[in-house]
């Protein structure tokens, strides 16, 4: 038991601090449990059981179903229609954001829902002269409580369902415990969704800060005035006759060439093979001190009376080519720098600035290690931006052209998802089977290409699930869950059952804000079931409390992937999540506990 507790403590520290990705930590936990088999009781067969669990495979299939819906463009079409009626009313914009993402998150992965809707919400904000900060945090929060509407809303629900079923088979007296059906807790999900919506439209609206002003100019938003300038090459410049690639490779100075203007023609990336000529005009990103050094040593003159802003850059190239790009979870760029990833050469794009929450970096960008949620201000051609828009490594924070949408497949994609839900809800087939059949149908009907199946899956989530599932088994087998339950049961001597239920919600909610929601469920459900049995309570009610709490990581940007999505684009500070999410967490603790008490008996 002590060995397992030691592994749990180490895992919690690694989950919270993330020196390595959380899926790597999860696999490390799995390996540690197997290596220490004499003490943990986790044989190799049990250790790898997470890869074959119904929860893991079901989540994998749901990622494919979500991606199929995404590839049709139906959500973007819905977003455009909604943006036509929101106008400049912040109330309508906020209501539309919550009203769209909540129901969608009940049926497709909520991480995917936020990734799809983020550009739409950003555009709605700017077109309506509203700060995007006022809408993006509610977008993330609404996706979380929207995911609690159905079994398939989040991977957490699916995992909790499997754990409940396994414990029901293993625990004597757990007669009310069972796997979740498709809409088993939808009425509770609706209750908390209504409570959350009312909060975000009233108190939350007042608490959400306006970190970013409504965008009139992206260069102004990133405060680039002192970092953008234009220079002209003199005839005696030592740069004449050399390629830009050679010049940039050799210079130790912090400078980026954004665009080249030559004889009235504008060139964007790729610029490396362009040979420098006299009278070439370059738009540069650099700081004032570096600019002085460049002018002195490289034979350049400043172009007088020119303000390099978004309008100037886009007017010169006759197209929209300045956008915000967010680094998505699972991106190959996470942990890399712009230099090590060869960003300029790889994507034919130039990064002018990087925003991480409230912090904006404009110097030495090539040496900055990239993280999930980082927002890059990118200058590129329209074609390049469209390619970035279809690249899973990025979320382009403005709507871009997506000619590859398969709009003709919309009825098929929606029909397949509806069939999966109906078959599982009517108990014709288990959700595992219906979801896999639906994923196969997505390919058979041409909604997805076979090669897109693997790109559709968020493999970090799959490996996270597979890695942490054996931890719950070890906690249960060694008696750790029973010991922790004993400590909780001591509170039942002075607290009523409903208060103990609320205590589990609060503990799980606090835990899920610093570690993975799936890890929280794995650790807390065995303890909750054991405690419920010891105090003579309904274990199913306690499982629901833990499940709902694990999907409400409102208080930190690292608690849930969707919070990281909006961290950079919203310009939020870490404390903003605590200020807005803390009261919401408390409201949800009360509403969820009261709802469970109202809808399910707390005692057998």
């Amino acid at each position: 038991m002590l060995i397992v507790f030691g592994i749990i403590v180490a895992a919690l520290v690694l989950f919270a601090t993330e020196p390595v990705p959380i899926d790597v930590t999860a696999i490390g936990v799995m390996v540690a449990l197997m290596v220490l088999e004499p003490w943990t009781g986790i044989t190799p067969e049990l250790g790898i059981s997470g890869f074959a669990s119904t929860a893991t495979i079901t989540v994998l299939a749901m990622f494919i179903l979500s991606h199929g819906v995404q590839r049709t463009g139906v959500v973007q079409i819905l977003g455009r229609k909604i943006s036509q009626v929101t106008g400049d009313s912040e109330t309508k914009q906020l209501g539309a954001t919550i009203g769209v993402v909540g129901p969608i998150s009940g049926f497709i992965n909520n991480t995917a829902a936020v990734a799809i809707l983020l550009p739409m919400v950003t555009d709605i904000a700017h077109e309506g002269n509203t700060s995007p900060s006022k809408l993006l945090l509610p977008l993330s929060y609404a996706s979380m409580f929207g995911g609690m509407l159905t079994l398939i809303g989040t991977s957490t629900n699916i995992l909790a369902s499997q754990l409940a079923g396994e414990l029901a088979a293993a625990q004597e007296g757990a007669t009310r415990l069972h796997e979740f059906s498709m809409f088993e807790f939808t009425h509770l999900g609706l209750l908390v969704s209504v409570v959350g919506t009312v909060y975000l439209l009233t108190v939350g609206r007042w608490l959400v800060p306006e970190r970013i002003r409504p965008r009139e100019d992206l260069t102004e938003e990133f405060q680039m005035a002192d970092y953008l300038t234009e220079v002209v090459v003199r005839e005696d410049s030592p740069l004449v006759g050399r390629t830009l690639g050679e010049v940039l490779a050799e210079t130790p100075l912090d400078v980026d060439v954004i665009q080249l203007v030559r004889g009235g023609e504008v060139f964007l990336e790729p610029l490396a093979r362009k040979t420098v000529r006299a009278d070439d005009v370059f738009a540069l990103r650099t700081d004032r001190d570096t600019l002085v050094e460049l002018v002195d040593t490289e034979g350049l003159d400043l172009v007088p009376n020119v303000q390099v802003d978004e309008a100037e850059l886009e007017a010169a190239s006759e197209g929209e080519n300045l956008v915000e790009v967010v680094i998505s979870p699972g991106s190959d760029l996470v942990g890399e720098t712009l230099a090590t990833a060869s960003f300029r050469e790889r994507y034919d794009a130039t990064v002018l600035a990087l925003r991480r929450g409230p912090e904006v970096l404009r110097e030495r960008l090539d040496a900055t290690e990239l993280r999930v949620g980082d927002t890059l201000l990118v200058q590129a051609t329209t074609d390049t931006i469209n390619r970035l828009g279809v690249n899973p490594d990025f979320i382009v924070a403005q709507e871009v052209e997506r000619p590859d949408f398969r709009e003709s497949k919309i009825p098929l994609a929606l029909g397949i998802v509806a069939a999966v839900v109906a078959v599982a809800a009517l108990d014709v087939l288990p959700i595992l089977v219906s979801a896999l059949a639906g994923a196969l149908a997505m390919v058979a009907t041409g909604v997805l290409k076979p090669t897109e199946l693997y790109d559709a899956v968020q493999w970090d989530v799959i490996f996270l699930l597979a890695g942490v599932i054996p931890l719950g088994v070890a906690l249960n087998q060694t008696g750790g869950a029973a010991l922790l339950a004993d400590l909780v049961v001591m509170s039942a001597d002075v607290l009523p059952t409903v208060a103990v239920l609320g205590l589990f919600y609060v503990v799980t909610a606090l835990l899920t804000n610093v570690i993975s929601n799936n890890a929280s469920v794995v650790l807390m459900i065995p303890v909750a079931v054991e405690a419920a049995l010891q105090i003579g309570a309904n274990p199913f009610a306690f499982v629901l409390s833990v499940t709902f709490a694990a999907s409400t990581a409102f208080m930190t940007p690292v608690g849930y992937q969707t919070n990281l999505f909006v961290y950079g684009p919203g310009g939020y500070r870490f404390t903003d999540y605590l200020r807005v999410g803390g009261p919401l967490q408390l409201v949800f603790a009360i509403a969820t506990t009261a709802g469970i008490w109202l809808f399910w008996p707390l005692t057998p």
Side-chain angles (χ1 to χ4, degrees):
M1 193 190 304
L2 291 175
I3 294 293
V4 172
F5 282 149
I7 293 173
I8 289 173
V9 170
L12 292 179
V13 172
L14 292 173
F15 279 136
T17 58
E18 281 198 60
V20 294
I22 59 174
D23 52 314
V24 176
T25 296
I27 296 300
V29 167
M30 180 187 74
V31 172
L33 291 170
M34 291 189 290
V35 169
L36 299 172
E37 177 191 346
W39 298 276
T40 64
I42 299 299
T43 63
E45 290 75 16
L46 282 175
I48 64 170
S49 62
F51 285 103
S53 78
T54 57
T56 304
I57 305 303
T58 303
V59 170
L60 183 148
M62 292 310 304
F63 279 135
I64 295 171
L65 290 171
S66 295
H67 192 64
V69 174
Q70 181 180 345
R71 292 295 286 112
T72 66
V74 63
V75 178
Q76 284 84 348
I77 294 171
L78 176 64
R80 286 197 295 269
K81 291 186 180 298
I82 290 173
S83 66
Q84 293 171 3
V85 300
T86 55
D88 59 359
S89 168
E90 184 181 320
T91 301
K92 289 182 179 179
Q93 294 166 4
L94 188 57
T97 298
I98 299 168
V100 171
V101 75
I104 288 175
S105 295
F107 295 94
I108 71 171
N109 178 265
N110 51 3
T111 304
V114 172
I116 295 168
L117 292 172
L118 189 148
M120 179 205 82
V121 172
T122 302
D123 283 349
I124 286 176
H126 291 314
E127 289 169 9
N129 201 35
T130 300
S131 167
S133 309
K134 302 294 285 185
L135 303 182
L136 291 177
L137 198 56
L139 172 70
S140 176
Y141 287 171
S143 76
M144 286 188 226
F145 56 70
M148 301 311 299
L149 291 171
T150 69
L151 168 64
I152 61 174
T154 71
S155 59
T156 309
N157 297 348
I158 296 170
L159 177 58
S161 177
Q162 178 192 315
L163 293 172
E166 291 175 351
L167 289 171
Q171 296 276 7
E172 293 183 8
T175 54
R176 289 183 177 269
L177 198 57
H178 57 271
E179 292 188 4
F180 304 146
S181 62
M182 180 63 67
F183 299 108
E184 181 136 22
F185 46 76
T186 297
H187 47 318
L188 180 60
L190 285 171
L191 172 65
V192 298
S193 291
V194 169
V195 170
T197 299
V198 170
Y199 173 88
L200 292 175
L201 288 173
T202 54
V203 177
R205 180 177 173 181
W206 175 66
L207 291 175
V208 173
E210 188 173 313
R211 294 295 180 204
I212 294 177
R213 290 184 297 175
R215 189 184 79 219
E216 296 180 359
D217 188 300
L218 271 174
T219 58
E220 181 181 329
E221 182 179 310
F222 280 79
Q223 301 170 357
M224 297 295 296
D226 292 336
Y227 294 86
L228 296 179
T229 190
E230 285 189 357
V231 296
V232 62
V233 181
R234 297 199 306 259
E235 290 188 4
D236 61 348
S237 170
L239 304 181
V240 173
R242 304 181 66 195
T243 66
L244 269 176
E246 293 172 347
V247 171
L248 292 175
E250 292 177 9
T251 182
L253 301 176
D254 180 29
V255 59
D256 281 314
V257 177
I258 304 169
Q259 64 183 24
L260 161 64
V261 181
R262 176 182 291 165
E265 189 175 0
V266 177
F267 300 92
L268 302 179
E269 291 289 348
L271 295 172
R273 295 184 180 180
K274 296 291 183 185
T275 301
V276 180
R277 301 177 187 174
D279 297 325
D280 278 349
V281 176
F282 292 110
L284 304 178
R285 180 215 56 85
T286 190
D287 60 83
R288 289 181 180 274
D289 291 341
T290 303
L291 179 62
V292 171
E293 190 171 346
L294 278 171
V295 169
D296 287 344
T297 62
E298 304 296 350
L300 305 174
D301 288 330
L302 289 175
V303 177
N305 303 320
V306 171
Q307 180 180 359
V308 181
D309 55 18
E310 183 175 5
E312 169 74 13
L313 292 172
E314 294 187 345
S317 56
E318 299 181 351
E320 297 236 356
N321 46 49
L322 202 61
V323 295
E324 294 172 280
V325 174
V326 184
I327 304 296
S328 63
S331 170
D332 292 339
L333 297 176
V334 175
E336 298 276 2
T337 66
L338 296 177
T340 60
S342 301
F343 188 94
R344 180 193 293 267
E345 296 79 10
R346 187 174 173 184
Y347 301 107
D348 289 338
T350 304
V351 177
L352 307 188
L354 182 153
R355 184 168 59 222
R356 181 173 293 160
E359 182 184 10
V360 179
L361 306 178
R362 307 173 197 85
E363 299 178 31
R364 300 294 174 189
L365 300 176
D366 283 351
T368 302
E369 187 174 294
L370 299 174
R371 304 177 188 171
V372 174
D374 282 351
T375 302
L376 310 178
L377 178 61
V378 170
Q379 166 83 355
T381 64
T382 302
D383 287 343
T384 294
I385 291 169
N386 289 337
R387 288 199 303 272
L388 292 177
V390 300
N391 190 320
D393 286 342
F394 307 105
I395 302 168
V396 178
Q398 289 87 44
E399 287 285 2
V400 296
E401 292 293 328
R402 288 291 301 268
D404 60 335
F405 279 145
R406 298 165 190 150
E407 296 184 11
S408 63
K409 302 292 186 180
I410 288 175
L412 283 171
L414 296 182
I416 290 169
V417 172
V420 168
V421 171
V423 167
L426 295 173
D427 209 20
V428 176
L429 291 172
I431 181 62
L432 168 67
V433 180
S434 65
L436 283 173
L440 186 62
M442 287 285 185
V443 177
T445 57
V447 176
L448 288 175
K449 297 176 182 177
T451 53
E452 292 174 333
L453 289 176
Y454 301 98
D455 291 336
V457 179
Q458 292 182 22
W459 292 104
D460 56 334
V461 176
I462 298 302
F463 278 88
L464 170 64
L465 287 170
V468 297
I469 284 174
L471 188 58
V473 176
L475 188 64
N476 211 34
Q477 284 193 168
T478 59
L483 177 63
L484 294 175
D486 289 340
L487 298 176
V488 176
V489 166
M490 292 171 60
S491 66
D493 295 334
V494 293
L495 295 175
T497 302
V498 69
V500 179
L501 182 74
L503 178 63
F504 268 101
Y505 185 99
V506 170
V507 171
T508 306
L510 292 174
L511 193 61
T512 202
N513 273 284
V514 293
I515 70 169
S516 157
N517 50 334
N518 290 317
S520 300
V521 159
V522 167
L523 292 175
M524 292 301 297
I525 280 185
V527 179
V529 170
E530 184 67 34
L533 292 175
Q534 288 192 33
I535 64 176
N538 178 6
F540 185 75
F542 278 66
V543 167
L544 282 177
S545 180
V546 169
T547 303
F548 270 66
S551 290
T552 56
F554 300 133
M555 296 194 297
T556 67
V558 298
Y560 208 81
Q561 285 184 335
T562 58
N563 283 349
L564 276 177
F565 276 5
V566 302
Y567 187 47
Y572 299 114
R573 298 173 183 168
F574 195 98
T575 53
D576 292 336
Y577 290 82
L578 190 61
R579 183 174 72 172
V580 183
L584 181 58
Q585 201 93 63
L586 179 61
V587 168
F588 265 47
I590 297 170
T592 305
T593 304
I596 294 172
W597 173 77
L598 179 65
F599 297 134
W600 289 272
L602 295 190
T603 55

